[in-house]
Amino acid sequence: QVQLQESGPGLVKPSETLSLTCTVSGDSMNSYYWNWIRQSPGKGLEWIGYIYYSGSAHYNPSLKSRVTISVDTSRNQFSLNLTSVTAADTAVYFCGRSLSSSLDSWGQGTLVSVSS
Amino acid sequence: EIVLTQSPGTLSLSPGERATLSCRASQSVSSRYLAWYQQKHGQAPRLLIFDTSSRATGIPARFSGSGSGTDFTLTISRLEPEDFAVYYCQQYDSSPRMYIFGQGTKLEIK
């Protein structure tokens, strides 16, 4: 059974870059899409983007100018970089796996706060 | 971009009752691309239903999905205490390629 675990700083300063990593265990990364999703406190879910195991990525148009997702299948990891963060980027960030049109496995989530 | 609107915002029911949750899309979507998730407080969402009506692995038969076009429904036939949570519908938009979530329905104990 696949497991996903997010890691990274819990506090980022405004205007800096938010960087998170998701480590995948229990299954190969091949043939899947690897996603980042966030949830602002008390709010709904917002999809950030995904990367195919081969390296092709797609992003939410509303965040596209600030987001980069990368993958390292040799380390069973994929990563999120979100630049020029503001308080509006404070959220729980989840990583997730999808095969086609739904996300069948999720990490537990990690809270990232943006504050000076 | 497609917008998903879930109703009601909050649904108050008792264990043993039937729950019907609605998800309406702003334009017609493929039934292959509609999913439902359950999220309990402090936890990640859990996939319940994919492709409109297929239950994910380990999901009890009391959960069912239906619909087509712009109107989709998640039904919980007889509520168990562990079913009280927030439910999200999600659609995959193939152009542009992205996942879109509804705003959620909170299912609370009456």
Side-chain angles (χ1 to χ4, degrees):
Chain A
Q1 180 179 352
V2 67
Q3 292 187 314
L4 293 82
Q5 179 67 59
E6 305 88 351
S7 59
L11 181 63
V12 181
K13 290 182 168 57
S15 80
E16 295 190 344
T17 296
L18 181 159
S19 296
L20 295 174
T21 295
C22 182
T23 301
V24 180
S25 59
D27 198 359
S28 167
M29 294 189 73
N30 292 352
S31 304
Y32 290 100
Y33 296 85
W34 302 95
N35 298 259
W36 287 100
I37 309 97
R38 70 181 183 180
Q39 186 170 35
S40 300
K43 298 290 180 62
L45 299 161
E46 179 180 33
W47 177 77
I48 299 170
Y50 67 58
I51 190 163
Y52 195 43
Y53 77 102
S54 61
S56 173
H58 291 274
Y59 305 124
N60 188 323
S62 68
L63 297 168
K64 187 175 183 178
S65 63
R66 300 195 291 131
V67 173
T68 302
I69 298 175
S70 58
V71 64
D72 184 347
T73 55
S74 67
R75 302 182 68 180
N76 270 21
Q77 292 180 333
F78 63 106
S79 299
L80 168 70
N81 274 4
L82 180 66
T83 62
S84 305
V85 297
T86 70
D89 295 308
T90 292
V92 175
Y93 286 76
F94 297 98
C95 57
R97 183 184 79 169
S98 59
L99 179 59
S100 57
S101 59
S102 56
L103 294 109
D104 66 345
S105 296
W106 296 64
Q108 65 186 24
T110 187
L111 174 62
V112 179
S113 298
V114 178
S115 175
S116 55
Chain B
E1 180 180 316
I2 293 173
V3 175
L4 298 178
T5 302
Q6 293 186 239
S7 62
T10 301
L11 183 59
S12 300
L13 293 170
S14 300
E17 291 192 294
R18 181 184 186 90
T20 302
L21 287 69
S22 174
C23 177
R24 176 162 289 176
S26 57
Q27 56 187 278
S28 184
V29 304
S30 168
S31 60
R32 288 175 45 229
Y33 293 162
L34 199 288
W36 291 90
Y37 300 83
Q38 176 194 68
Q39 186 178 33
K40 297 181 180 179
H41 184 69
Q43 297 183 17
R46 176 176 69 148
L47 178 66
L48 298 175
I49 301 287
F50 64 96
D51 294 356
T52 296
S53 59
S54 297
R55 278 190 300 277
T57 302
I59 302 303
R62 65 180 181 273
F63 291 90
S64 63
S66 62
S68 64
T70 60
D71 292 305
F72 298 86
T73 300
L74 173 69
T75 301
I76 311 172
S77 58
R78 286 181 56 87
L79 286 166
E80 298 286 343
E82 62 267 28
D83 298 336
F84 292 91
V86 180
Y87 291 83
Y88 293 94
C89 60
Q90 169 254 304
Q91 186 261 340
Y92 177 72
D93 192 343
S94 59
S95 180
R97 300 184 193 183
M98 65 181 296
Y99 293 88
I100 298 167
F101 292 92
Q103 84 279 17
T105 290
K106 182 180 180 180
L107 178 57
E108 66 177 22
I109 298 177
K110 187 174 182 180

